[in-house]
Amino acid sequence: MNLAQFPRRGYVKEATPIEFLPNFSKALGGKVNVYIKRDDLLPGTSGGNKTRKLDFCIADALAKGADTIITCGAVQSNHCRLTLSWAVKEGLDCYLVLEERVKNSYKPEASGNNFLFRLLGVKGITVVPGGSDMMGEMGKVAEKLKAEGKKPYIVPGGASNALGALGYVGCMEEIMHQMFIQGLTFDHMVVPSGSAGTHAGIIAGMIGNNINIPVTGIGVNRPKAVQQEAVHKLANQALDLIGVEQRVPADKVIAFDDYVGPGYSLPTDAMVEAVKLLARTEGILLDPVYSGKAMSGLIDLVRKGYFREGSNILFLHTGGSPALYAYLDCFGN
Ligand SMILES: *Cc1c(COP(=O)(O)O)cnc(C)c1O
């Protein structure tokens, strides 16, 4: 597998740390050893997983002569914040289409990522109702910009196409190298599963490199079967793009939907517990929409005895902490 054949912008210059979480593991009863992959510390405004994907997608945009980036996400989208951040860095204009997945959730004056959209100088925001055809909506913005003489490039939601997923194939190779250098073995990996590129890239990286560590995805939005299908399809597309003929066995793709709660981005008690526990044992911030819910899944699975006693578990921290500032009410403020 040769990822170096794909143009990148070099946003990821060094490996993000893998850290042991001794206090957190102890707080969960000491039955398992929890480690964390700190992708929350990736470069780009406030860090997070989209940087690895955008490293490939923005390179593609520049190769195609784009001067403007259009992307989409929810009203507190980390992906939108990071796409905008890298567009700024590259001297590109950036337009966002925001989906109100929760009715009336867009507040122009909101804090968190929404505040950062404006601080970073977004060129335009279009708000559309939940369930809209996001590709179609971004296409409309693109047509308007083309008529003005601009050269827009559309990055799909979450940068979760095959090209973006390569970012997490690269992450899996990085983890493999760190395991070797640090003398670590992992018995299990736990990853958040949203627009699917992260989860799919990790799985494709495992298959392509013949690594057999079980991966458990924690869904934040869609029902289990739908999410697993999306991850499975995208992982195979990523393997096609790299030129790996092997297919992903369907039973390697697990994405639990038990931790979504009432819906995407809506808080759960277990999320609040997970965010507080990691903050108060290790000083690490999760987020309310993705990594907090994913960690609530890990906590529940540890308590249920899902992982063998004494096993080493690697949790992928995908970032998102700016969204905490839009959720002060949930944390007793
Ligand atoms: C986008 C996002 C995810 C989910 O990653 P996908 O590749 O969309 O599945 C997880 N955590 C954070 C903080 C995110 O912003």
mmCIF file of all heavy atoms in Angstrom, residues 49-50 53 78 160 192-198 287 290 318-320, ligand 1:
data_model
loop_
_atom_site.group_PDB
_atom_site.id
_atom_site.type_symbol
_atom_site.label_atom_id
_atom_site.label_comp_id
_atom_site.label_asym_id
_atom_site.label_seq_id
_atom_site.Cartn_x
_atom_site.Cartn_y
_atom_site.Cartn_z
ATOM 1 N N ASN A 49 -10.068 15.508 13.797
ATOM 2 C CA ASN A 49 -9.827 14.497 12.755
ATOM 3 C C ASN A 49 -9.921 15.000 11.326
ATOM 4 O O ASN A 49 -9.320 14.419 10.427
ATOM 5 C CB ASN A 49 -10.779 13.300 12.963
ATOM 6 C CG ASN A 49 -12.249 13.650 12.810
ATOM 7 O OD1 ASN A 49 -12.639 14.805 12.893
ATOM 8 N ND2 ASN A 49 -13.076 12.645 12.590
ATOM 9 N N LYS A 50 -10.683 16.070 11.060
ATOM 10 C CA LYS A 50 -10.876 16.473 9.668
ATOM 11 C C LYS A 50 -9.571 16.941 9.019
ATOM 12 O O LYS A 50 -9.452 16.911 7.798
ATOM 13 C CB LYS A 50 -11.970 17.542 9.556
ATOM 14 C CG LYS A 50 -13.339 17.114 10.123
ATOM 15 C CD LYS A 50 -13.795 15.775 9.614
ATOM 16 C CE LYS A 50 -15.101 15.237 10.167
ATOM 17 N NZ LYS A 50 -15.337 15.251 11.591
ATOM 18 N N LYS A 53 -8.053 14.308 6.735
ATOM 19 C CA LYS A 53 -8.779 14.110 5.482
ATOM 20 C C LYS A 53 -8.563 15.289 4.538
ATOM 21 O O LYS A 53 -8.372 15.118 3.329
ATOM 22 C CB LYS A 53 -10.266 13.962 5.777
ATOM 23 C CG LYS A 53 -10.629 12.860 6.757
ATOM 24 C CD LYS A 53 -12.072 13.120 7.190
ATOM 25 C CE LYS A 53 -12.699 11.957 7.886
ATOM 26 N NZ LYS A 53 -14.163 12.114 7.932
ATOM 27 N N ASN A 78 -17.554 20.734 13.432
ATOM 28 C CA ASN A 78 -16.089 20.810 13.539
ATOM 29 C C ASN A 78 -15.465 20.745 12.151
ATOM 30 O O ASN A 78 -14.439 21.362 11.890
ATOM 31 C CB ASN A 78 -15.554 19.630 14.359
ATOM 32 C CG ASN A 78 -16.114 19.621 15.760
ATOM 33 O OD1 ASN A 78 -15.953 20.566 16.503
ATOM 34 N ND2 ASN A 78 -16.802 18.535 16.114
ATOM 35 N N SER A 160 -15.822 13.002 3.900
ATOM 36 C CA SER A 160 -15.918 11.538 3.922
ATOM 37 C C SER A 160 -16.199 10.967 2.542
ATOM 38 O O SER A 160 -17.240 10.343 2.302
ATOM 39 C CB SER A 160 -16.966 11.090 4.939
ATOM 40 O OG SER A 160 -16.402 11.150 6.235
ATOM 41 N N PRO A 192 -15.113 6.924 17.085
ATOM 42 C CA PRO A 192 -16.401 7.531 16.776
ATOM 43 C C PRO A 192 -16.745 7.267 15.304
ATOM 44 O O PRO A 192 -15.853 7.186 14.467
ATOM 45 C CB PRO A 192 -16.178 9.030 16.996
ATOM 46 C CG PRO A 192 -14.879 9.159 17.722
ATOM 47 C CD PRO A 192 -14.073 7.954 17.362
ATOM 48 N N SER A 193 -18.029 7.155 14.999
ATOM 49 C CA SER A 193 -18.455 6.850 13.635
ATOM 50 C C SER A 193 -19.579 7.800 13.233
ATOM 51 O O SER A 193 -20.715 7.649 13.672
ATOM 52 C CB SER A 193 -18.920 5.386 13.589
ATOM 53 O OG SER A 193 -18.950 4.880 12.290
ATOM 54 N N GLY A 194 -19.239 8.816 12.425
ATOM 55 C CA GLY A 194 -20.228 9.827 12.037
ATOM 56 C C GLY A 194 -20.496 9.775 10.544
ATOM 57 O O GLY A 194 -21.253 8.938 10.054
ATOM 58 N N SER A 195 -19.834 10.656 9.786
ATOM 59 C CA SER A 195 -19.996 10.616 8.331
ATOM 60 C C SER A 195 -19.198 9.458 7.735
ATOM 61 O O SER A 195 -19.184 9.265 6.519
ATOM 62 C CB SER A 195 -19.601 11.950 7.705
ATOM 63 O OG SER A 195 -18.243 12.232 7.908
ATOM 64 N N ALA A 196 -18.523 8.706 8.573
ATOM 65 C CA ALA A 196 -17.962 7.377 8.284
ATOM 66 C C ALA A 196 -16.521 7.337 7.766
ATOM 67 O O ALA A 196 -15.896 6.289 7.753
ATOM 68 C CB ALA A 196 -18.865 6.573 7.340
ATOM 69 N N GLY A 197 -15.964 8.465 7.348
ATOM 70 C CA GLY A 197 -14.624 8.449 6.770
ATOM 71 C C GLY A 197 -13.539 8.008 7.738
ATOM 72 O O GLY A 197 -12.588 7.314 7.347
ATOM 73 N N THR A 198 -13.661 8.389 8.997
ATOM 74 C CA THR A 198 -12.662 8.036 9.999
ATOM 75 C C THR A 198 -12.676 6.525 10.243
ATOM 76 O O THR A 198 -11.652 5.852 10.121
ATOM 77 C CB THR A 198 -12.962 8.801 11.311
ATOM 78 O OG1 THR A 198 -12.945 10.205 11.016
ATOM 79 C CG2 THR A 198 -11.953 8.472 12.390
ATOM 80 N N ASP A 287 -15.780 16.168 23.372
ATOM 81 C CA ASP A 287 -16.808 17.082 22.863
ATOM 82 C C ASP A 287 -18.180 16.452 23.063
ATOM 83 O O ASP A 287 -18.285 15.239 23.259
ATOM 84 C CB ASP A 287 -16.557 17.405 21.382
ATOM 85 C CG ASP A 287 -17.132 16.347 20.467
ATOM 86 O OD1 ASP A 287 -16.449 15.339 20.219
ATOM 87 O OD2 ASP A 287 -18.283 16.510 20.007
ATOM 88 N N TYR A 290 -19.539 14.030 19.434
ATOM 89 C CA TYR A 290 -18.826 12.863 18.878
ATOM 90 C C TYR A 290 -18.003 12.130 19.945
ATOM 91 O O TYR A 290 -18.368 11.045 20.380
ATOM 92 C CB TYR A 290 -17.905 13.295 17.728
ATOM 93 C CG TYR A 290 -18.618 13.848 16.543
ATOM 94 C CD1 TYR A 290 -18.817 15.219 16.394
ATOM 95 C CD2 TYR A 290 -19.100 13.003 15.544
ATOM 96 C CE1 TYR A 290 -19.473 15.735 15.291
ATOM 97 C CE2 TYR A 290 -19.760 13.514 14.436
ATOM 98 C CZ TYR A 290 -19.935 14.881 14.322
ATOM 99 O OH TYR A 290 -20.592 15.391 13.234
ATOM 100 N N THR A 318 -11.046 12.172 18.403
ATOM 101 C CA THR A 318 -11.176 12.881 17.131
ATOM 102 C C THR A 318 -11.321 14.396 17.293
ATOM 103 O O THR A 318 -11.498 15.098 16.302
ATOM 104 C CB THR A 318 -12.393 12.323 16.383
ATOM 105 O OG1 THR A 318 -13.469 12.187 17.322
ATOM 106 C CG2 THR A 318 -12.079 10.969 15.763
ATOM 107 N N GLY A 319 -11.289 14.903 18.524
ATOM 108 C CA GLY A 319 -11.329 16.358 18.721
ATOM 109 C C GLY A 319 -12.717 16.882 19.035
ATOM 110 O O GLY A 319 -13.552 16.167 19.573
ATOM 111 N N GLY A 320 -12.952 18.153 18.695
ATOM 112 C CA GLY A 320 -14.289 18.735 18.814
ATOM 113 C C GLY A 320 -14.550 19.592 20.029
ATOM 114 O O GLY A 320 -15.662 20.112 20.190
HETATM 115 C C1 LIG B 1 -16.508 14.632 12.231
HETATM 116 C C2 LIG B 1 -16.154 14.194 13.598
HETATM 117 C C3 LIG B 1 -16.182 12.838 13.962
HETATM 118 C C4 LIG B 1 -16.699 11.763 13.059
HETATM 119 O O1 LIG B 1 -15.812 11.442 12.050
HETATM 120 P P1 LIG B 1 -16.426 10.922 10.678
HETATM 121 O O2 LIG B 1 -15.237 10.725 9.821
HETATM 122 O O3 LIG B 1 -17.355 11.997 10.202
HETATM 123 O O4 LIG B 1 -17.151 9.661 10.958
HETATM 124 C C5 LIG B 1 -15.770 12.486 15.218
HETATM 125 N N1 LIG B 1 -15.369 13.415 16.092
HETATM 126 C C6 LIG B 1 -15.337 14.723 15.799
HETATM 127 C C7 LIG B 1 -14.904 15.661 16.844
HETATM 128 C C8 LIG B 1 -15.733 15.155 14.539
HETATM 129 O O5 LIG B 1 -15.719 16.458 14.258
#
